[in-house]
Amino acid sequence: MKILSIQSSVAYGHVGNSAATFPLQRLGHEVWPVLTVHFSNHTGYGAWRGPLLAPADVADVITGIGEREVTGPDGRAVSVLSTADAVLSGYQGAEEVGAVVLDAVARVKELNPRAVYCCDPVMGDVGRGMFVRPGIPEFMRDEVVPHADVLTPNHFELDFLAGTTTRTEAEVLAAVDTIRDRGPRDVLVTSVITDETRENTLEVVAVSDDGAWAVTTPQLPIAPNGCGDVTSALYLAHLTTTGSPATALERTTSTVFSILEATIAAGTREIQLVGAQASIAAPPDRFAARQLR
């Protein structure tokens, strides 16, 4: 699989493309990382250095990729963008960057109608609220999400996108259906905690045209930056290669849980992608998906 991944990048640590690229490559996929920022470290440290790339520069990089040519099935030269199987995006700090992403999605799909767009609608989280600037959540909801084929919100973001508050499993599924009616066919909801969730656990829910499934995992005492970026990348990869939301859910949650365990064992703030790479390449059989409908 070939993936155009438009995300942030850091030199130290793992968020954005610096979290998504290695796992995808470790699974054997080609990644074309396009950077929206290149910081020294993620902003959770409170201080960082490096450039925020202008939207025009991001678009220029994508244009340059499109100008590269390979030999197509009929022997004629075609743009390499026509060989892209997916576009992946995460945090979008400005509407202008979002417009660049949507233009790239449109271009890739024009050249390859089978390509999918996986969007991680990074906006906020429980306990933190919205951490993007005003206007971005509405832009994500109204302009970006309808173009996504695969969407990976957390529970907080799901509620915002659906315009509701979900306290039960049935309400979570209803909220997902509301979003799916707007475009995305596959939705993965992370960090789901309802009134019905067992103590010290959380759920990850996957919904598609074929049904809905959930995996329940222990709630670990750690919430490092970058896990959402890894989760979106892994789910896109496993969903595309297996065609099974349930299998993709099981593999993704098992790998991410193993990465978190390795991070706790190492006592580090940054997730242990390299140290846990065996669980990326060969996801352990740790969690079984239960069908919700």
Side-chain angles (χ1 to χ4, degrees), residues 69-98:
E69 294 182 337
V70 294
T71 302
D74 60 359
R76 294 187 298 176
V78 297
S79 167
V80 297
L81 285 179
S82 68
T83 69
D85 300 293
V87 179
L88 173 64
S89 72
Y91 171 74
Q92 299 178 20
E95 290 91 334
E96 294 81 4
V97 174

mmCIF file of all heavy atoms in Angstrom, residues 69-98:
data_model
loop_
_atom_site.group_PDB
_atom_site.id
_atom_site.type_symbol
_atom_site.label_atom_id
_atom_site.label_comp_id
_atom_site.label_asym_id
_atom_site.label_seq_id
_atom_site.Cartn_x
_atom_site.Cartn_y
_atom_site.Cartn_z
ATOM 1 N N GLU A 69 6.732 10.779 -12.181
ATOM 2 C CA GLU A 69 5.993 9.840 -13.012
ATOM 3 C C GLU A 69 6.533 8.426 -12.889
ATOM 4 O O GLU A 69 7.722 8.221 -12.619
ATOM 5 C CB GLU A 69 6.038 10.278 -14.486
ATOM 6 C CG GLU A 69 5.299 11.583 -14.758
ATOM 7 C CD GLU A 69 5.310 11.961 -16.220
ATOM 8 O OE1 GLU A 69 6.219 11.482 -16.954
ATOM 9 O OE2 GLU A 69 4.414 12.710 -16.644
ATOM 10 N N VAL A 70 5.628 7.476 -13.037
ATOM 11 C CA VAL A 70 5.985 6.063 -13.091
ATOM 12 C C VAL A 70 5.252 5.449 -14.284
ATOM 13 O O VAL A 70 4.357 6.071 -14.866
ATOM 14 C CB VAL A 70 5.591 5.320 -11.794
ATOM 15 C CG1 VAL A 70 6.413 5.826 -10.614
ATOM 16 C CG2 VAL A 70 4.096 5.474 -11.516
ATOM 17 N N THR A 71 5.609 4.243 -14.620
ATOM 18 C CA THR A 71 4.956 3.564 -15.735
ATOM 19 C C THR A 71 3.655 2.926 -15.269
ATOM 20 O O THR A 71 3.636 2.153 -14.304
ATOM 21 C CB THR A 71 5.872 2.487 -16.324
ATOM 22 O OG1 THR A 71 7.085 3.090 -16.740
ATOM 23 C CG2 THR A 71 5.203 1.807 -17.516
ATOM 24 N N GLY A 72 2.568 3.257 -15.933
ATOM 25 C CA GLY A 72 1.267 2.725 -15.579
ATOM 26 C C GLY A 72 1.037 1.342 -16.155
ATOM 27 O O GLY A 72 1.867 0.808 -16.909
ATOM 28 N N PRO A 73 -0.116 0.742 -15.831
ATOM 29 C CA PRO A 73 -0.436 -0.619 -16.318
ATOM 30 C C PRO A 73 -0.433 -0.735 -17.844
ATOM 31 O O PRO A 73 -0.155 -1.807 -18.380
ATOM 32 C CB PRO A 73 -1.835 -0.871 -15.749
ATOM 33 C CG PRO A 73 -1.948 0.053 -14.573
ATOM 34 C CD PRO A 73 -1.158 1.271 -14.942
ATOM 35 N N ASP A 74 -0.735 0.381 -18.526
ATOM 36 C CA ASP A 74 -0.790 0.336 -19.990
ATOM 37 C C ASP A 74 0.542 0.718 -20.626
ATOM 38 O O ASP A 74 0.640 0.861 -21.851
ATOM 39 C CB ASP A 74 -1.896 1.246 -20.513
ATOM 40 C CG ASP A 74 -1.702 2.705 -20.110
ATOM 41 O OD1 ASP A 74 -0.712 3.000 -19.401
ATOM 42 O OD2 ASP A 74 -2.539 3.541 -20.477
ATOM 43 N N GLY A 75 1.581 0.887 -19.773
ATOM 44 C CA GLY A 75 2.901 1.207 -20.300
ATOM 45 C C GLY A 75 3.168 2.681 -20.474
ATOM 46 O O GLY A 75 4.287 3.072 -20.817
ATOM 47 N N ARG A 76 2.161 3.508 -20.224
ATOM 48 C CA ARG A 76 2.350 4.950 -20.355
ATOM 49 C C ARG A 76 2.749 5.567 -19.024
ATOM 50 O O ARG A 76 2.454 5.023 -17.967
ATOM 51 C CB ARG A 76 1.068 5.609 -20.870
ATOM 52 C CG ARG A 76 0.683 5.211 -22.298
ATOM 53 C CD ARG A 76 -0.496 6.009 -22.814
ATOM 54 N NE ARG A 76 -1.694 5.769 -22.014
ATOM 55 C CZ ARG A 76 -2.850 6.406 -22.203
ATOM 56 N NH1 ARG A 76 -2.946 7.337 -23.137
ATOM 57 N NH2 ARG A 76 -3.895 6.111 -21.464
ATOM 58 N N ALA A 77 3.382 6.730 -19.078
ATOM 59 C CA ALA A 77 3.805 7.425 -17.871
ATOM 60 C C ALA A 77 2.597 8.047 -17.177
ATOM 61 O O ALA A 77 1.738 8.657 -17.822
ATOM 62 C CB ALA A 77 4.815 8.511 -18.205
ATOM 63 N N VAL A 78 2.507 7.845 -15.856
ATOM 64 C CA VAL A 78 1.420 8.424 -15.073
ATOM 65 C C VAL A 78 2.009 9.069 -13.819
ATOM 66 O O VAL A 78 3.118 8.738 -13.388
ATOM 67 C CB VAL A 78 0.384 7.346 -14.659
ATOM 68 C CG1 VAL A 78 -0.285 6.750 -15.885
ATOM 69 C CG2 VAL A 78 1.038 6.257 -13.827
ATOM 70 N N SER A 79 1.262 9.974 -13.217
ATOM 71 C CA SER A 79 1.693 10.602 -11.970
ATOM 72 C C SER A 79 1.762 9.567 -10.857
ATOM 73 O O SER A 79 0.899 8.682 -10.769
ATOM 74 C CB SER A 79 0.715 11.710 -11.569
ATOM 75 O OG SER A 79 0.938 12.130 -10.230
ATOM 76 N N VAL A 80 2.783 9.678 -9.994
ATOM 77 C CA VAL A 80 2.858 8.733 -8.882
ATOM 78 C C VAL A 80 1.653 8.859 -7.962
ATOM 79 O O VAL A 80 1.305 7.900 -7.254
ATOM 80 C CB VAL A 80 4.161 8.908 -8.067
ATOM 81 C CG1 VAL A 80 5.373 8.607 -8.912
ATOM 82 C CG2 VAL A 80 4.248 10.299 -7.459
ATOM 83 N N LEU A 81 0.982 10.018 -7.970
ATOM 84 C CA LEU A 81 -0.206 10.164 -7.135
ATOM 85 C C LEU A 81 -1.308 9.198 -7.558
ATOM 86 O O LEU A 81 -2.162 8.847 -6.743
ATOM 87 C CB LEU A 81 -0.724 11.601 -7.185
ATOM 88 C CG LEU A 81 0.067 12.645 -6.392
ATOM 89 C CD1 LEU A 81 -0.564 14.025 -6.564
ATOM 90 C CD2 LEU A 81 0.149 12.278 -4.912
ATOM 91 N N SER A 82 -1.267 8.752 -8.806
ATOM 92 C CA SER A 82 -2.283 7.805 -9.264
ATOM 93 C C SER A 82 -2.072 6.418 -8.657
ATOM 94 O O SER A 82 -2.964 5.579 -8.708
ATOM 95 C CB SER A 82 -2.261 7.696 -10.789
ATOM 96 O OG SER A 82 -1.060 7.078 -11.235
ATOM 97 N N THR A 83 -0.887 6.195 -8.056
ATOM 98 C CA THR A 83 -0.616 4.902 -7.416
ATOM 99 C C THR A 83 -0.884 4.942 -5.921
ATOM 100 O O THR A 83 -0.737 3.919 -5.244
ATOM 101 C CB THR A 83 0.846 4.482 -7.651
ATOM 102 O OG1 THR A 83 1.737 5.351 -6.925
ATOM 103 C CG2 THR A 83 1.192 4.533 -9.133
ATOM 104 N N ALA A 84 -1.278 6.099 -5.394
ATOM 105 C CA ALA A 84 -1.574 6.214 -3.957
ATOM 106 C C ALA A 84 -2.850 5.448 -3.632
ATOM 107 O O ALA A 84 -3.866 5.586 -4.320
ATOM 108 C CB ALA A 84 -1.722 7.671 -3.549
ATOM 109 N N ASP A 85 -2.779 4.644 -2.577
ATOM 110 C CA ASP A 85 -3.946 3.901 -2.130
ATOM 111 C C ASP A 85 -4.733 4.646 -1.059
ATOM 112 O O ASP A 85 -5.900 4.345 -0.812
ATOM 113 C CB ASP A 85 -3.516 2.544 -1.564
ATOM 114 C CG ASP A 85 -2.801 1.696 -2.593
ATOM 115 O OD1 ASP A 85 -3.445 1.275 -3.559
ATOM 116 O OD2 ASP A 85 -1.576 1.485 -2.433
ATOM 117 N N ALA A 86 -4.074 5.598 -0.398
ATOM 118 C CA ALA A 86 -4.736 6.298 0.707
ATOM 119 C C ALA A 86 -4.068 7.629 0.976
ATOM 120 O O ALA A 86 -2.873 7.824 0.709
ATOM 121 C CB ALA A 86 -4.715 5.444 1.973
ATOM 122 N N VAL A 87 -4.862 8.537 1.522
ATOM 123 C CA VAL A 87 -4.368 9.798 2.080
ATOM 124 C C VAL A 87 -4.686 9.770 3.571
ATOM 125 O O VAL A 87 -5.805 9.398 3.964
ATOM 126 C CB VAL A 87 -5.024 11.024 1.423
ATOM 127 C CG1 VAL A 87 -4.501 12.318 2.060
ATOM 128 C CG2 VAL A 87 -4.775 11.031 -0.078
ATOM 129 N N LEU A 88 -3.709 10.136 4.389
ATOM 130 C CA LEU A 88 -3.871 10.147 5.841
ATOM 131 C C LEU A 88 -3.583 11.538 6.356
ATOM 132 O O LEU A 88 -2.582 12.152 5.974
ATOM 133 C CB LEU A 88 -2.903 9.135 6.468
ATOM 134 C CG LEU A 88 -2.785 9.102 8.000
ATOM 135 C CD1 LEU A 88 -4.108 8.685 8.642
ATOM 136 C CD2 LEU A 88 -1.655 8.158 8.424
ATOM 137 N N SER A 89 -4.460 12.054 7.223
ATOM 138 C CA SER A 89 -4.203 13.363 7.816
ATOM 139 C C SER A 89 -4.539 13.331 9.300
ATOM 140 O O SER A 89 -5.356 12.535 9.756
ATOM 141 C CB SER A 89 -5.024 14.458 7.117
ATOM 142 O OG SER A 89 -6.407 14.372 7.455
ATOM 143 N N GLY A 90 -3.885 14.218 10.044
ATOM 144 C CA GLY A 90 -4.129 14.345 11.475
ATOM 145 C C GLY A 90 -4.446 15.777 11.846
ATOM 146 O O GLY A 90 -5.315 16.403 11.239
ATOM 147 N N TYR A 91 -3.710 16.310 12.801
ATOM 148 C CA TYR A 91 -3.931 17.668 13.292
ATOM 149 C C TYR A 91 -3.835 18.682 12.156
ATOM 150 O O TYR A 91 -2.875 18.682 11.386
ATOM 151 C CB TYR A 91 -2.895 17.991 14.372
ATOM 152 C CG TYR A 91 -2.880 19.439 14.799
ATOM 153 C CD1 TYR A 91 -3.892 19.945 15.612
ATOM 154 C CD2 TYR A 91 -1.864 20.293 14.401
ATOM 155 C CE1 TYR A 91 -3.886 21.277 16.014
ATOM 156 C CE2 TYR A 91 -1.840 21.619 14.794
ATOM 157 C CZ TYR A 91 -2.851 22.106 15.598
ATOM 158 O OH TYR A 91 -2.834 23.418 15.990
ATOM 159 N N GLN A 92 -4.848 19.537 12.057
ATOM 160 C CA GLN A 92 -4.861 20.610 11.056
ATOM 161 C C GLN A 92 -5.013 21.933 11.802
ATOM 162 O O GLN A 92 -6.090 22.258 12.296
ATOM 163 C CB GLN A 92 -5.999 20.400 10.055
ATOM 164 C CG GLN A 92 -5.869 19.091 9.275
ATOM 165 C CD GLN A 92 -7.025 18.858 8.320
ATOM 166 O OE1 GLN A 92 -7.739 19.785 7.940
ATOM 167 N NE2 GLN A 92 -7.211 17.607 7.912
ATOM 168 N N GLY A 93 -3.934 22.688 11.882
ATOM 169 C CA GLY A 93 -3.922 23.875 12.720
ATOM 170 C C GLY A 93 -4.615 25.084 12.140
ATOM 171 O O GLY A 93 -4.817 26.076 12.832
ATOM 172 N N ALA A 94 -4.969 25.034 10.866
ATOM 173 C CA ALA A 94 -5.618 26.184 10.234
ATOM 174 C C ALA A 94 -6.483 25.703 9.082
ATOM 175 O O ALA A 94 -6.218 24.657 8.476
ATOM 176 C CB ALA A 94 -4.570 27.176 9.723
ATOM 177 N N GLU A 95 -7.510 26.487 8.777
ATOM 178 C CA GLU A 95 -8.397 26.125 7.682
ATOM 179 C C GLU A 95 -7.643 26.029 6.366
ATOM 180 O O GLU A 95 -7.967 25.200 5.508
ATOM 181 C CB GLU A 95 -9.530 27.145 7.559
ATOM 182 C CG GLU A 95 -10.541 27.119 8.690
ATOM 183 C CD GLU A 95 -10.178 28.074 9.818
ATOM 184 O OE1 GLU A 95 -8.972 28.371 9.978
ATOM 185 O OE2 GLU A 95 -11.102 28.516 10.537
ATOM 186 N N GLU A 96 -6.602 26.863 6.200
ATOM 187 C CA GLU A 96 -5.838 26.860 4.965
ATOM 188 C C GLU A 96 -5.112 25.527 4.765
ATOM 189 O O GLU A 96 -5.002 25.038 3.642
ATOM 190 C CB GLU A 96 -4.835 28.014 4.957
ATOM 191 C CG GLU A 96 -5.467 29.401 4.928
ATOM 192 C CD GLU A 96 -5.929 29.880 6.304
ATOM 193 O OE1 GLU A 96 -5.687 29.153 7.300
ATOM 194 O OE2 GLU A 96 -6.527 30.963 6.378
ATOM 195 N N VAL A 97 -4.618 24.955 5.862
ATOM 196 C CA VAL A 97 -3.975 23.645 5.774
ATOM 197 C C VAL A 97 -5.018 22.580 5.435
ATOM 198 O O VAL A 97 -4.786 21.687 4.619
ATOM 199 C CB VAL A 97 -3.252 23.294 7.084
ATOM 200 C CG1 VAL A 97 -2.705 21.862 7.032
ATOM 201 C CG2 VAL A 97 -2.127 24.273 7.362
ATOM 202 N N GLY A 98 -6.191 22.686 6.060
ATOM 203 C CA GLY A 98 -7.271 21.757 5.754
ATOM 204 C C GLY A 98 -7.661 21.802 4.292
ATOM 205 O O GLY A 98 -7.949 20.763 3.676
#
